[in-house]
Amino acid sequence: MNFPLSHIASLCKYTGISFTAGAITHGFFSEERAFLTAVFGVVIYLVGGTLEKIANPDKDHSWTDVLAIGIVASIGLGFFTGGLQHFPDSPGRSSWVVPVGFAMSLLAMYLMEGKGKIKVKAVLIYGGISLALVIAASLYSLSYFNEHGGDGHGHSHGHGTPAPVITQAMKEVRIEVDDTMRFSPAIWEAQAGEPIRIILVNKGKLDHELVIGTEKEIITHAKEMASPGAKGHHHTNEIAAKPGQQSELVWTFKKPGQYAMACFEPGHYEAGMKGVINVVAKKH
């Protein structure tokens, strides 16, 4: 055994898993940067697996184990750990990412360490029971976070920042929504660098939300929310209101330009629940 090489191999493998997990946590399914991060994580994991085989020539792992199965292992562990981290922010996505990651890691472990050494029946019993428990826990967590909401630590976009301090002189924009799937007003104006108190008033009988972003971000978010099981990401650039209630968000746009707003409750965006925010340069 080559200890220094084994240590470097271990660092690479765990670094790879961390990168893959981080990519899942920060939007693997919607952001190019996160996708590239995941690819980098898989590559680093494979480098670690290769170094581990070189450092331990006596281990009977083939290059197929190191490369092909290594990809399954790195993605599976990344899915599992990244999904766990992201559960409060994205319960819909995490509810299936975590079980899939668990199943992939289980398969990779069996193929690399247990094949030919452990009876298939024993693996199937353990795998079936443990996977059922993971799925049950994921479904419970999905139900809990959908009912109570996440911890609010979502990933806001770079075009603006939430401003927690509310003053009497702050500009207010009151936006009313109902079940006609429209914002009222659907078009309004803001000033760059000026904190705005946005009040979302729900006069309908359905849940509604308001998400702020550039047109590109809104389209990307719409595609993400259309994925199986997706629901409520609790980003800092969104507010939601139950029927008959209202919510508030204090927001400051950093730069002038045209921004968009949308509701991503199931089917609402597709029904036309969207709007435009024209942000003008700060007046001196």
Side-chain angles (χ1 to χ4, degrees), residues 129-195:
I129 295 174
S130 58
L131 183 57
L133 291 173
V134 171
I135 292 174
S138 295
L139 292 177
Y140 171 78
S141 299
L142 171 64
S143 175
Y144 175 85
F145 285 118
N146 280 344
E147 181 177 352
H148 297 88
D151 61 6
H153 299 294
H155 307 291
S156 62
H157 301 294
H159 54 75
T161 57
V165 179
I166 300 177
T167 65
Q168 294 297 323
M170 186 178 295
K171 178 181 177 180
E172 290 187 358
V173 176
R174 181 184 175 92
I175 301 175
E176 296 183 353
V177 293
D178 56 28
D179 301 337
T180 61
M181 305 304 167
R182 294 292 184 270
F183 291 109
S184 180
I187 302 176
W188 50 281
E189 185 176 287
Q191 183 173 293
E194 176 188 37

Side-chain angles (χ1 to χ4, degrees), residues 5 31 36 40 80 84 94 129 139-140 174 188 200 225 241 283:
L5 201 57
E31 298 176 12
L36 294 176
F40 179 75
F80 183 74
L84 289 177
S94 295
I129 295 174
L139 292 177
Y140 171 78
R174 181 184 175 92
W188 50 281
L200 180 66
M225 296 305 290
K283 300 174 183 178

